[in-house]
Amino acid sequence: MGYVVLHLEKAKGNDSGMTAHIERKINPKNADPERTHLNRELIQLPPGVTDRTQAIQHRIASAGIKRKITHDQVRAIRLMLSGTHEDMK
């Protein structure tokens, strides 16, 4: 029996640094660039939205929020699910 880990993290600001990391606009040292074609997007972006940063802004704009969202408020929750190869199959 293996393990599964669910990690949740608050994302403040525009989250552009994490967007660049996830979308491989920058190549982290621990990522194999020859395997990025194996990555899967589980959620499709809305029409006209090209990256995660725009998707976050689009969701906030279309949510019907009447008050101002300040720069230090949480704008999204990052979720990462990982585990052993066998359990993730």
Side-chain angles (χ1 to χ4, degrees), residues 20-68:
H21 174 78
I22 290 172
E23 295 179 354
R24 295 298 188 247
K25 294 176 182 174
I26 57 171
N27 290 316
K29 294 177 185 175
N30 65 339
D32 182 355
E34 294 179 9
R35 296 177 50 97
T36 56
H37 70 280
L38 299 172
N39 294 345
R40 290 184 290 163
E41 290 290 332
L42 301 178
I43 298 173
Q44 291 185 343
L45 298 175
V49 175
T50 59
D51 65 18
R52 290 179 65 253
T53 301
Q54 288 181 359
I56 292 168
Q57 290 303 105
H58 178 269
R59 176 64 182 115
I60 291 170
S62 64
I65 299 171
K66 303 289 186 217
R67 61 181 173 75
K68 180 181 178 185

Side-chain angles (χ1 to χ4, degrees), residues 12-23:
K12 295 182 181 179
N14 66 9
D15 207 35
S16 60
M18 187 57 72
T19 294
H21 174 78
I22 290 172
E23 295 179 354

Side-chain angles (χ1 to χ4, degrees), residues 2-6 80-89:
Y3 63 89
V4 174
V5 176
L6 175 63
M80 181 173 60
L81 180 66
S82 62
T84 59
H85 179 71
E86 295 79 25
D87 290 342
M88 295 304 285
K89 281 185 179 179

